[in-house]
Amino acid sequence: MCIVEKRSARLAAARTSRVVRDELMALILERGLAPGELLPTEFELVEDLGVSRNSVREALKALQALDIVEIRHGHGTYVGRLSLNPLADGLAFRTLQRIGRDARAVSELLETREALEDGLIRRVAASIPDVDLEALETVTAAMEAKAGSGEDFAEEDRQFHELLYRSLDNQIVVQLLRAFWDVFHRVNDRLGGEDPDLPETARRHRAILAALRARDVDGAQRAMTEHFRNIDARVALLEARGLGPAPA
């Protein structure tokens, strides 16, 4: 087989895999299968779709990478969690790949997250439940204690921002925020970044909580904006490291 024929065969196989992948997603939707529910067997899928076993396997692998299906060897294939983990993985790789060539690689992530939270904080400020305020108090106090001893509080930071919007009962919001947070901290860990002023970061979280306790919508938004200005300093350090010489 000549080079042109081999290339045509590869392209045809790729097109077939995409078609089968789309048909499998359509099957999940048509049958109303929920996360954790069992898909038809590989043999049944081959029969139903009229394609080869290899095409079904390749399509399932592609869907597994997107968290749309979960392949449990020896047990079958199930509808996946449908999380945004693949999005976080892609964003993290994209950002790390751009660092060293583009000074705005990390800033773009932060701007997108800030735009999301800037709008969301207004929605919850006037109506956040007392139980969520108390949960935020616990997390903020933990931040302050760790900051006082010079200890990083990345996990409490994540919890704080998830608790802020819990009352919205919106899983897409939760997963998006978690994806942006995870990406930022993966990049931060990869480049050896650290918070230059832990007490100040804790103080800005406390300011957000104080505005929420007062049901001050405008004050909560201002406090959130100030919080992100604090993160800008960390982003500048990360980008400086990323644009510098490679570590020995």
Side-chain angles (χ1 to χ4, degrees), residues 185-204:
H185 283 277
R186 282 194 223 175
V187 173
N188 184 71
D189 292 343
R190 178 71 176 270
L191 297 180
E194 58 185 22
D195 191 334
D197 193 342
L198 290 168
E200 177 61 16
T201 299
R203 186 196 68 77
R204 298 201 182 201

Side-chain angles (χ1 to χ4, degrees), residues 8-239:
S8 296
R10 286 197 299 269
L11 290 173
R15 283 194 295 270
T16 300
S17 180
R18 285 196 297 270
V19 170
V20 176
R21 181 194 64 190
D22 292 344
E23 290 181 350
L24 285 171
M25 288 191 291
L27 181 148
I28 292 170
L29 294 174
E30 289 168 3
R31 299 191 181 184
L33 298 178
E37 291 191 327
L38 185 65
L39 267 69
T41 66
E42 186 178 280
F43 176 79
E44 290 171 330
L45 291 173
V46 167
E47 291 293 309
D48 290 345
L49 301 179
V51 295
S52 69
R53 176 172 292 182
N54 187 60
S55 294
V56 168
R57 287 179 176 175
E58 290 301 313
L60 288 173
K61 287 179 183 177
L63 292 178
Q64 182 173 235
L66 296 173
D67 207 12
I68 292 175
V69 305
E70 179 186 356
I71 300 171
R72 303 177 191 173
H73 296 290
H75 298 279
T77 301
Y78 298 77
V79 178
R81 295 171 299 165
L82 310 178
S83 73
L84 295 184
N85 289 340
L87 170 64
D89 291 340
L91 281 173
F93 181 82
R94 179 179 184 273
T95 303
L96 289 167
Q97 195 272 337
R98 287 176 60 200
I99 287 176
R101 298 181 295 106
D102 186 347
R104 285 186 46 76
V106 186
S107 295
E108 287 178 355
L109 275 176
L110 186 65
E111 288 172 4
T112 305
R113 179 185 157 192
E114 181 179 359
L116 179 63
E117 292 209 51
D118 209 39
L120 291 173
I121 194 68
R122 296 190 65 88
R123 291 193 58 190
V124 301
S127 60
I128 186 167
D130 288 341
V131 65
D132 289 352
L133 288 174
E134 293 314 307
L136 286 166
E137 174 62 41
T138 299
V139 172
T140 303
M143 287 185 188
E144 292 167 337
K146 287 189 173 183
S149 60
E151 185 180 352
D152 183 70
F153 47 77
E155 178 58 24
E156 287 79 9
D157 192 345
R158 180 190 64 78
Q159 292 175 11
F160 183 95
H161 288 271
E162 288 189 12
L163 284 168
L164 275 179
Y165 312 111
R166 183 168 65 178
S167 61
L168 294 177
D169 194 25
N170 186 321
Q171 285 302 305
I172 292 179
V173 165
V174 171
Q175 291 191 39
L176 273 176
L177 289 174
R178 189 173 296 164
F180 283 121
W181 190 93
D182 285 347
V183 170
F184 178 78
H185 283 277
R186 282 194 223 175
V187 173
N188 184 71
D189 292 343
R190 178 71 176 270
L191 297 180
E194 58 185 22
D195 191 334
D197 193 342
L198 290 168
E200 177 61 16
T201 299
R203 186 196 68 77
R204 298 201 182 201
H205 284 87
R206 172 63 69 183
I208 294 170
L209 178 54
L212 292 174
R213 285 194 179 280
R215 309 295 181 182
D216 182 352
V217 176
D218 291 335
Q221 187 174 31
R222 284 194 302 271
M224 181 63 72
T225 299
E226 290 174 4
H227 169 52
F228 275 96
R229 298 293 71 77
N230 187 46
I231 300 177
D232 285 343
R234 297 177 65 184
V235 169
L237 288 175
L238 285 179
E239 291 176 335

